[in-house]
Amino acid sequence: MKKVYSFLAVLAVLVPLIAGAATKKAPDHAVNINTASVEELMQLPGIGKAKADAIVTYRQAHPFKSVSELTEVKGIGAKMLEKLQPNVTVDGSVPSKPTASATTVR
């Protein structure tokens, strides 16, 4: 019985943490993927430390000319791009709506 209470106590702590991580709110401003810090990139939905680091590493060798180039970064595919596109920019302008060509799976 003690194990059950311990398990429930752990669940009571973990469930809100997991739920909070899953419902991360997108920033209220466009994030420039060519200049954003790792911490700023991590504010984007679906972007954790590893993907933020991968974006920074990629852009050091290949600055982004368009948001759709994010699919060149390991771990970012068409579906992720579709989620990110309303929140990111490459030049500080207001992000455009996703286009069919930007979300086409290669």
Side-chain angles (χ1 to χ4, degrees), residues 67-68 81-82 84-88 94-103:
V67 171
S68 63
L81 175 63
E82 194 173 328
L84 293 172
Q85 203 159 14
N87 303 305
V88 296
V94 175
S96 61
K97 293 192 180 321
T99 61
S101 62
T103 58

Side-chain angles (χ1 to χ4, degrees), residues 17-102:
L17 291 175
I18 293 168
T23 60
K24 178 168 56 169
K25 185 178 176 242
D28 59 356
H29 61 283
V31 174
N32 185 329
I33 57 175
N34 278 319
T35 60
S37 67
V38 169
E39 291 76 20
E40 290 170 315
L41 291 168
M42 288 173 57
Q43 293 175 6
L44 296 166
I47 302 296
K49 176 106 170 80
K51 284 185 186 159
D53 286 338
I55 291 169
V56 170
T57 299
Y58 181 88
R59 77 173 183 218
Q60 288 171 341
H62 312 281
F64 294 99
K65 293 179 184 147
S66 72
V67 171
S68 63
E69 288 179 54
L70 275 170
T71 58
E72 299 295 321
V73 176
K74 184 177 179 178
I76 299 179
K79 286 187 179 196
M80 173 75 66
L81 175 63
E82 194 173 328
K83 291 178 186 175
L84 293 172
Q85 203 159 14
N87 303 305
V88 296
T89 183
V90 293
D91 60 6
S93 64
V94 175
S96 61
K97 293 192 180 321
T99 61
S101 62

